[in-house]
Each structure stands twice: as structure tokens, then as C-alpha cells.
Amino acid sequence: MSLNGGNALRLALPNKGRLAEPALGLLRDAGLEVDVSPASLTATARNYELDLLFVRAEDIPEYVGDGLVDAGITGIDLVAERAPGLTAVLELGFGACALTLAVPRASSVREPEELAGCRVATSFPRLTRAFFDERGLETQIIEVRGAVEVTPQLGVADAVVDLVATGSTLRLNGLRPIATLLDSQAVLVTRSQAPDQRWQPLVGMLGSVIDARGKEYMMMNAPTASLDRIRELIPGLSGPTVMPLADPSMIAVHSVVERASLWRLVPALKAAGARDILVVPIEKVVR
């Protein structure tokens, strides 16, 4: 596939599911102009040599591993299960979940070692087998596709290994977690540990969007005498930027701060003498 010319990069994206919308949104936030219809299997970027292929998230590791595409966006869990030799070039900061071992709430089992000789249902047989093998435990791995959580109710399995984001699905099906096999999130993966240099501008721009998420740009005026205290409060990416004002007793301070810290940071800055505090969103942080 080369819809955008012979030198275009080929990127596989999830065509549906929890990773699909955030993956495409990340590309657009990075400035890529992409038009996609609901039934699209392919698309091209108008302002960058990039071809997109929309496939199932679980198939993306194989597409990348087989060289059908140059890179893909999928979950760490799927890479580890289907193509562990791939390289995660960039963690993307969405799709957080955990591959979790769970048992029925009424079960007496508290530790994985108590499942020796038991049946474990999962869509991740390789990772599940490796988990129990590392502990020297013999278990019967039952591979299922979808509705893993219901297998104990059907008498098919004594435990399950499945992806858990909030834990609500486990609770709804009367299950409780007892171990985590793998923490996962969405990643950009390639076959090589040293990906094609053509990827560097795109990787850099995606990284700038990820770095900016959860951060705000803060500006304020403050007494010069308060500078040391303000520096303690807002170290910033490379320290706050400090500029003199017409009044020599005052300074202007600019810095990048974590959005989640604003609720405690603003009162502390005001107590230190800061005023005229302005907070604005950041689209990208290019390092």
C-alpha cells in the first residue's frame, strides 16, 4: 500500500475499540490532516507522506512484524502476546489497562499458587502460560475469544486472565483480581530498535502532544523578594522563566505546570505574593 507516493510511511491504526478514537485523535492533535469515513480501510495525510491502514488492534503486531506496514499503534498487551520482538518507540499515554488474573468472588483462592491444576480461561494464552510456567505451576489454559469473564459462571474455568481498565466488568461478573500479569497502554511499535529516520519528525511531534497533555502554561507577577519561594513551588521543565518589570521590585514569572497540581499550587503562589496569575492550555511541548 502506498497511497501517498512510493516513499510514504505506512501506519496501522485500530479500526474500532477503545484505542481507535484516541489513536486517530492523537494524529490530528499532532497536526496531521486526515479525512476518515466510518467505513474507511485506508486514508492518507494531506500534509505529510503518511498512509494509514485501519485493521483490528489485535492484528497490528503481526502486520508490523510481517513488514506489511512500517509501524502501528496498538496495546502493549497485544504486542507482548502476538509479537514480543517488536520495539515500542513511543508510549502514547492512553488505553491504560492491566492484564489481570481473577477468580470468582466466592472462591477461597487468594494467591496464583493456589490455582495449580485448575482451569484458566483467557484470550492471552502465551502470556498466561508464561506467568504460570515462571512459578512452576501446572494449569489448564483454555483459550477463548470474548466474554472471558463469564466462563467461571458457565463452569468452563476456575479463573480468568483478562484486560482490566476500571474493574467494573470483573465486579459485574462476580470476579475479584488476585494478580497482575502486565500493565499496558497504547504504544507506537516498529520492527527495528532503530526505526527509519523518516519516522523521527512524526515521533517527535506525537511526543510533543503527549508531553503537553495534563500541563498548563502559567504566568504571573510577583515581588522580586518572593522569587526563591516561587522557584520552590514551580520548578517547571527547565526552571521558571523570570523577567524584570518596569517596577524593579516586581518580576514576571512564566512556567509549565501540571494541571492536577493547580488546586494546591495557586493558593500557595498567592500566599507567596504572586498576583495576576494567568493559566492557559498547551497544545505541544517540543523539546
Side-chain angles (χ1 to χ4, degrees):
M1 180 189 73
S2 184
L3 307 175
N4 211 351
N7 294 322
L9 298 168
R10 297 166 299 173
L11 176 65
L13 296 181
N15 62 351
K16 59 183 179 180
R18 61 190 179 87
L19 301 183
E21 186 174 339
L24 189 57
L26 175 61
L27 297 183
R28 286 173 168 157
D29 288 346
L32 290 171
E33 298 176 357
V34 181
D35 292 326
V36 180
S37 68
S40 294
L41 298 178
T42 61
T44 62
R46 295 194 300 273
N47 57 341
Y48 196 74
E49 289 192 346
L50 181 69
D51 292 337
L52 303 180
L53 177 65
F54 298 94
V55 296
R56 298 192 310 166
E58 54 265 41
D59 292 335
I60 289 176
E62 295 176 12
Y63 274 66
V64 176
D66 292 342
L68 298 177
V69 294
D70 300 302
I73 291 178
T74 189
I76 291 175
D77 53 289
L78 295 172
V79 175
E81 175 69 26
R82 294 173 175 264
L86 298 182
T87 298
V89 177
L90 186 65
E91 294 182 348
L92 303 180
F94 61 85
C97 59
L99 191 61
T100 301
L101 173 63
V103 297
R105 192 177 297 121
S107 172
S108 63
V109 172
R110 301 294 173 185
E111 301 292 338
E113 287 71 19
E114 298 176 61
L115 290 172
C118 295
R119 302 162 299 167
V120 181
T122 184
S123 300
F124 295 83
R126 196 194 74 80
L127 292 174
T128 302
R129 172 54 62 201
F131 175 81
F132 285 107
D133 284 350
E134 287 173 1
R135 289 157 178 76
L137 302 174
E138 288 289 338
T139 55
Q140 180 184 352
I141 307 300
I142 301 172
E143 185 174 358
V144 296
R145 295 295 179 188
V148 174
E149 296 89 349
V150 76
T151 54
Q153 299 178 40
L154 298 177
V156 174
D158 305 296
V160 302
V161 169
D162 202 15
L163 287 179
V164 174
T166 65
S168 60
T169 302
L170 288 184
R171 291 190 293 271
L172 286 172
N173 286 279
L175 299 171
R176 56 178 172 81
I178 62 171
T180 297
L181 282 66
L182 177 74
D183 290 316
S184 183
Q185 65 170 296
V187 289
L188 177 70
V189 293
T190 66
R191 282 180 295 168
S192 171
Q193 293 185 358
D196 192 317
Q197 291 299 310
R198 295 179 301 160
W199 281 103
Q200 295 311 310
L202 179 60
V203 171
M205 194 57 71
L206 295 179
S208 74
V209 174
I210 295 165
D211 285 346
R213 289 179 173 174
K215 294 182 173 63
E216 304 280 2
Y217 192 73
M218 175 176 280
M219 298 170 278
M220 72 201 75
N221 296 330
T224 303
S226 300
L227 179 57
D228 288 343
R229 175 56 179 155
I230 290 173
R231 278 179 170 155
E232 292 176 0
L233 292 169
I234 51 170
L237 295 176
S238 302
T241 299
V242 180
M243 295 169 285
L245 296 178
D247 181 348
S249 68
M250 297 293 292
I251 53 173
V253 181
H254 294 199
S255 185
V256 175
V257 299
E258 297 290 339
R259 182 180 301 126
S261 71
L262 288 175
W263 66 273
R264 62 169 182 79
L265 184 56
V266 170
L269 288 169
K270 292 176 68 176
R275 64 178 192 237
D276 305 325
I277 299 172
L278 178 64
V279 179
V280 296
I282 299 173
E283 289 188 358
K284 300 175 181 65
V285 176
V286 181
R287 298 180 187 272

